[in-house]
Amino acid sequence: MTVAHDLSHDQQRQPVVATGQGRPHFQDQMRELEQSMLEALDMALAQLERVVDAMSTHDIPLAQFVVSDDARIDGRYLEVHQGVLSMLALQAPVAGDLRLVIAVLHVINNIERVGDQCANIAKLIPIDANGGSAPVEIDLRLARMGELARAGLGQARRAFAERDVAVAESLAASDVEINRLNREVFRLAVEAGEDPGLREWAISMTLAARALERIGDLAVDIGEQAIFVATGQFRELSRSALPADGE
C-alpha cells in the first residue's frame, strides 16, 4: 500500500515570513547543511565498504578501525542536527525550504544509525574469524547482502543529491532481495549444527545479516526523503514494492 501526502499545495498558500536579505542567507545556510549531511553520508558509505571488506577477509584491525571511527559520524550528526535546529529557531522556512529542512534532519539521523550498524557488524568479526568449518553458503549470502547494501546506500546518496525520483524508486527492488537473503542466513544458521563454536559463529552471522538488512532499510528511507524533497509527497517505497495478494 502506498502512503502519499501532498504537502506542497497547503504550504504554498502560507505567507512567506522570512523575506529580503534573510532568504539568501537562509539558502546559503541550507546548502551548507545539506552538503555537510551528504559528506556524512559519504563517511557512512566508506564505513560500510570497510566493514564489508573486513568481514570477507576476516580483517580484525580493519574492523577495530570501523568501531573507533564511528565517533566521526557521531560528531558530524551532532553538527548537522544542531545546525538544523538553530535554523528552525531563527528562520521561518516554508514550502520547498521546509521540506528540505525536515528531510536533512531525518536523513542525518539515518546516517548516524548506519554508522552504528557498521560498528555492530565490526564487533562481530573476531567471532567470524573463528568460524572454522562454517558453511560457505552463509558467507556467500552475507557478501551479497554487503554488495547490495553498499550499492543501495550509494544510490540513496545520488537520489538525494540530484533529486532523482527514479533512482530513489529503484531502491525498493534491492531491498526486497536483501530481506530475502537475511531470511536465508537465518535458516542456514539454524541448520548449522550442534558444535558450540559453530553455533556461536552462526548466531553472530545472523546478527551481522540483520544489521545489513537494517542498513538496506535506512537506504530506502533516505530514498523516500529524496522523493519527498523533490515532489512534496511521502511514499513508503518498501511497501509499494511488495507483491499484491495472490501474486
Side-chain angles (χ1 to χ4, degrees), residues 3-23:
V3 178
H5 183 200
D6 192 341
L7 300 180
S8 58
H9 180 68
D10 290 340
Q11 290 171 340
Q12 288 171 356
R13 291 189 300 176
Q14 298 178 8
V16 177
V17 178
T19 59
Q21 295 182 351
R23 298 313 294 168

Side-chain angles (χ1 to χ4, degrees), residues 30-38 100 104 160-161 163:
M30 197 63 243
R31 278 192 292 270
E32 290 177 4
L33 283 170
E34 181 179 1
Q35 182 58 38
S36 186
M37 180 270 289
L38 291 172
L100 182 56
V104 167
F160 199 100
R163 309 293 192 261

Side-chain angles (χ1 to χ4, degrees), residues 58 60 125-134 197-198 200-201:
H58 311 298
I60 294 177
I125 289 175
I127 300 173
D128 181 21
N130 296 322
S133 59
L198 184 59
E200 180 185 14
W201 174 84

Side-chain angles (χ1 to χ4, degrees), residues 45-207:
L45 185 55
Q47 283 285 75
L48 178 56
E49 290 172 348
R50 292 187 192 105
V51 80
V52 169
D53 290 344
M55 189 164 52
S56 65
T57 60
H58 311 298
D59 189 332
I60 294 177
L62 182 57
Q64 292 170 338
F65 176 79
V66 169
V67 174
S68 63
D69 202 46
D70 184 48
R72 283 200 312 132
I73 296 178
D74 292 342
R76 182 59 63 91
Y77 160 77
L78 291 173
E79 290 176 11
V80 175
H81 189 269
Q82 185 58 48
V84 171
L85 293 183
S86 296
M87 286 189 64
L88 286 173
L90 299 174
Q91 303 280 353
V94 295
D97 289 339
L98 181 59
R99 292 202 302 269
L100 182 56
V101 169
I102 293 170
V104 167
L105 192 61
H106 192 98
V107 171
I108 195 63
N109 182 62
N110 282 4
I111 292 168
E112 191 270 340
R113 292 166 67 189
V114 169
D116 287 346
Q117 294 295 346
C118 289
N120 290 340
I121 296 170
K123 292 172 185 176
L124 296 168
I125 289 175
I127 300 173
D128 181 21
N130 296 322
S133 59
V136 69
E137 291 85 358
I138 290 180
D139 281 335
L140 291 174
R141 283 160 177 78
L142 285 171
R144 178 58 179 157
M145 290 182 73
E147 291 174 2
L148 290 168
R150 283 191 290 187
L153 199 59
Q155 285 177 254
R157 189 204 187 283
R158 177 185 164 195
F160 199 100
E162 300 178 7
R163 309 293 192 261
D164 194 321
V165 173
V167 170
E169 290 173 338
S170 70
L171 289 164
S174 62
D175 187 52
V176 170
E177 179 68 5
I178 290 177
N179 292 342
R180 183 186 66 80
L181 290 166
N182 180 48
R183 292 192 296 270
E184 288 188 7
V185 169
F186 181 83
R187 175 182 59 80
L188 290 166
V190 170
E191 299 170 356
E194 298 299 325
D195 177 75
L198 184 59
R199 287 176 67 85
E200 180 185 14
W201 174 84
I203 291 171
S204 70
M205 292 304 97
T206 63
L207 296 175

Side-chain angles (χ1 to χ4, degrees), residues 200-223:
E200 180 185 14
W201 174 84
I203 291 171
S204 70
M205 292 304 97
T206 63
L207 296 175
R210 174 58 177 164
L212 289 170
E213 187 267 340
R214 287 298 301 131
I215 292 172
D217 287 345
L218 292 167
V220 169
D221 196 71
I222 293 170

